[in-house]
Amino acid sequence: MAEKTTYSISELAKEFDVTTRSVRFYEDQGLLKPARRGQTRIFSSKDRVRLKLILRGKRMGFSLAETKELFDLWDETLTGNEKQLLKMLTILDNKRAQLEQQKNDIAQAEMEMDTAEARCREALADLQKRKRQQKGAEKEAPEPAEQK
Amino acid sequence: MAEKTTYSISELAKEFDVTTRSVRFYEDQGLLKPARRGQTRIFSSKDRVRLKLILRGKRMGFSLAETKELFDLWDETLTGNEKQLLKMLTILDNKRAQLEQQKNDIAQAEMEMDTAEARCREALADLQKRKRQQKGAEKEAPEPAEQK
DNA sequence: AATTTACTTTACGTTTACGTAAACTTTATC
DNA sequence: GATAAAGTTTACGTAAACGTAAAGTAAATT
């Protein structure tokens, strides 16, 4: 038994660096379904996984609604009628296309950042050069008399 | 002269499949700065590039404010004082880290989609199998008499 | 001249993803 | 048993990114 199986709301919040408010909100929107002991929420490791997926989804630009759709779909898929399964397969295909697009976007962004960085470094080198040149000039004519 | 140099709002909107409302909103937020002929906006190819960047940013989960920050910073950088240049370099570094995170996220997502797809296909194969078995059974005992 | 078409500003409405405060209960600690 | 700590619900507030009229202008077409 290496894995902890239940978590409090603040444990999860701390682990993933979100507020408890957010966690409750995700439950409200049907993305998490913690058990209860009285009023208190008790999160399972499944909930934990889902929270992780929610946050990754957000980083990838997915809305909560989109993520919920996927969760729901996957749950339905597990009940396993043929139509659901086929639907899931096509949706997986679509998501894959989305990921491809994102990979392209990232690659583009990286290239542009490369050229941006290069330009920055060039500009910096230029500045350094001018500084050195000025220092040389100062030796020829020291103290270039301030303008009053 | 291969490149068109000016665009109307609806040309851009159509090309990038956004509403004119969005384009005006981006201007409002300081992300685009089209020239004017009287009241009418005239977009340059620089504006076009920026719009492309805005939309890519959105796909990558950047807010308009974040994108604007980058635009502004880059503009300042072009004026080229040393502090700005160094700041830009560190920001580029941060963005690179963000992209790395996103690449990880995407890789994870792809793996999970692989296993998801596998499970789907397994489940489907299972269903097919049962269908065949049922057909076989029908031959042994045809018309399994409906329950009234 | 009248109409259509594209564009404009102004402004209120909407959805998403929480923040924040208030008032209350439950659980742990001294 | 008082008090602090963590949890709860309810509810109003907010920023972002537009949607959606409403009402007007300007240019091109019939």
Side-chain angles (χ1 to χ4, degrees), chain B residues 8-10 24 36 39 41:
Chain B
S8 78
I9 191 170
S10 45
R24 291 196 193 97
R36 298 272 175 152
Q39 301 246 75
R41 277 161 256 250

Side-chain angles (χ1 to χ4, degrees), chain A residues 8-10 24 36 39-41:
Chain A
S8 76
I9 191 169
S10 44
R24 292 198 193 93
R36 300 268 176 155
Q39 301 246 74
T40 308
R41 277 161 255 249

Side-chain angles (χ1 to χ4, degrees), chain B residues 55-70:
Chain B
L55 298 176
R56 182 197 300 156
K58 294 200 67 185
R59 286 196 302 269
M60 296 172 60
F62 293 169
S63 74
L64 294 185
E66 284 175 302
T67 302
K68 176 178 160 52
E69 251 193 76
L70 284 178

